Amino acid sequence: MSDTHFRIEHDEAGTEFVVSAAGTDLATYVYRPDSPLEESLKPYLYPLKTLSGAPVGVYRPWGHRWHKGLQMTWSHLSGDNFWGGPTFEPGAPGHGYVWRENHGRQVHRAFDRRNDSGSEV
C-alpha cells in the first residue's frame, strides 16, 4: 500500500506552498505571484498533477501568457480587466481586443488555517 498521506511544504519567501502525497508534488499554490501587471496578478495552482505525476493544465501558453494553471478570476469588473491580456471592446479594430492599462489584481489576504492531517489537506 502506498503512502497517501498529504504534506504541505511552505517556501521560505512566503509566496507559495506545495501539497504532496505518495511522493508526488500534486499542486503548488502561488498566492503572491510576481507576474507582469498586464497579466492581472492573481493566486493560482501550478504545477498541478495527478497522483501518477501526470501534468494537468498549462502555464503561460504562447498567445495567452496570462493563463496560469488553475485560477479563479473575473473577466471584467467595473471596467477593469481581471482576466489578463487585452480587453475586449466590441467594434474595436483587431477583432475587438485592445491593450489597455486597466488590469485588476486579486490579492490573497490570509489563511484561516493551513495544515495537513494524514489523509486530508
Side-chain angles (χ1 to χ4, degrees):
M1 184 169 170
S2 66
D3 174 22
T4 57
H5 286 96
F6 288 100
R7 278 193 4 241
I8 298 174
E9 293 184 41
H10 201 261
D11 72 330
E12 291 181 22
T15 61
E16 65 185 38
F17 64 82
V18 177
V19 176
S20 60
T24 301
D25 291 345
L26 300 174
T28 299
Y29 176 58
V30 179
Y31 56 91
R32 289 195 183 128
D34 61 356
S35 308
L37 294 177
E38 59 271 2
E39 294 181 7
S40 296
L41 289 106
K42 61 191 126 327
Y44 60 88
L45 285 166
Y46 189 87
L48 193 57
K49 298 178 183 177
T50 66
L51 276 173
S52 70
V56 179
V58 296
Y59 180 80
R60 298 185 80 222
W62 182 87
H64 288 82
R65 307 298 287 169
W66 49 93
H67 290 205
K68 296 177 183 71
L70 178 63
Q71 54 191 12
M72 304 301 282
T73 190
W74 294 94
S75 175
H76 294 85
L77 182 65
S78 300
D80 289 327
N81 175 348
F82 286 86
W83 184 264
T87 297
F88 183 76
E89 294 181 2
H95 304 289
Y97 287 97
V98 178
W99 282 98
R100 295 181 51 204
E101 292 185 17
N102 67 334
H103 293 92
R105 175 184 184 132
Q106 296 176 43
V107 178
H108 175 104
R109 297 276 185 217
F111 292 102
D112 287 335
R113 61 178 215 187
R114 184 185 70 229
N115 61 2
D116 51 17
S117 59
S119 62
E120 297 182 2
V121 171

